Amino acid sequence: MAMKNLEDAFVDELRDLLNAEKQIARALPRMARKCENDQLRRTFEEHQRQTEDHAQRLEQVFELLDRKPRGKKCEGIEGILSEGKEIMQEAEPDVMDAALIAAAQKVEHYEIASYGTVCTWAEQLGCDRKVLELLKRTLAEEKETDQKLTRIAEQSANRQAAAVA
């Protein structure tokens, strides 16, 4: 899709995000199975359900914009998730949780940046109030997940990994 104006860029980014959310939803159960920490496992499981909701919200946004809810392959998330797969294959059990959190936070930061962008563009474009509400809600949830991951890392996962000689 040629991006001739901000609206084109906005729709392109939404399509990228839709695909990203679907890729992430498929990856989170694998990550949850690798966890040693029950709190981290529950966080991944909860975020997997939330991620499915994020994809549904994006589909609602497309409907509100009178656009077909169609994703575009998100190369950025694909690369980040590929790194996460490597971690799951290479990390020893004592450092697995710390490494998984690092991988998950890369995903969250990508999403935070992307949702921040589409929220700003939605405002600039004068999109329907409901579009902005849906996008901001997801942005808030992504930030909350990032904060949860930081707490788990600081309280247990990083300490466990650091204790390994």
Side-chain angles (χ1 to χ4, degrees):
M1 171 176 142
M3 287 186 266
K4 298 177 185 173
N5 54 44
L6 187 59
E7 184 177 352
D8 291 345
F10 176 63
V11 171
D12 188 72
E13 187 67 20
L14 291 172
R15 288 182 171 148
D16 189 75
L17 273 167
L18 181 59
N19 178 262
E21 294 290 13
K22 290 180 179 183
Q23 286 186 57
I24 295 162
R26 288 189 301 270
L28 281 165
R30 288 189 302 268
M31 294 172 74
R33 285 191 297 273
K34 286 288 195 172
C35 293
E36 297 291 323
N37 181 300
D38 289 335
Q39 184 182 11
L40 181 58
R41 181 180 299 107
R42 286 190 304 273
T43 298
F44 284 157
E45 290 168 349
E46 175 186 327
H47 196 58
Q48 195 264 333
R49 290 185 293 274
Q50 208 174 49
T51 299
E52 291 171 356
D53 290 345
H54 297 170
Q56 289 175 346
R57 279 188 213 139
L58 285 167
E59 289 171 356
Q60 285 180 277
V61 166
F62 279 107
E63 289 174 24
L64 290 165
L65 296 171
D66 200 28
R67 301 281 186 141
K68 185 178 179 181
R70 180 172 50 93
K72 169 191 144 187
K73 185 176 181 182
C74 181
E75 303 281 350
I77 283 296
E78 184 178 60
I80 293 169
L81 292 175
S82 178
E83 286 181 14
K85 284 180 188 175
E86 285 179 33
I87 286 168
M88 289 186 283
Q89 293 169 350
E90 296 174 7
E92 295 293 328
D94 289 334
V95 297
M96 181 66 73
D97 289 346
L100 285 172
I101 289 170
Q105 286 191 297
K106 288 179 184 181
V107 170
E108 293 309 310
H109 294 184
Y110 183 96
E111 290 181 295
I112 290 166
S114 297
Y115 278 104
T117 296
V118 294
C119 285
T120 300
W121 288 352
E123 288 176 338
Q124 291 285 304
L125 292 167
C127 289
D128 182 277
R129 177 184 54 84
K130 182 70 174 166
V131 167
L132 191 55
E133 286 174 9
L134 290 166
L135 296 172
K136 282 187 174 184
R137 183 173 168 199
T138 299
L139 176 59
E141 289 173 358
E142 299 294 6
K143 288 178 178 179
E144 181 181 313
T145 297
D146 182 54
Q147 291 169 351
K148 281 182 189 177
L149 291 168
T150 296
R151 282 192 299 275
I152 295 167
E154 291 173 349
Q155 293 169 0
S156 61
N158 290 351
R159 289 180 186 185
Q160 178 181 339
V164 177

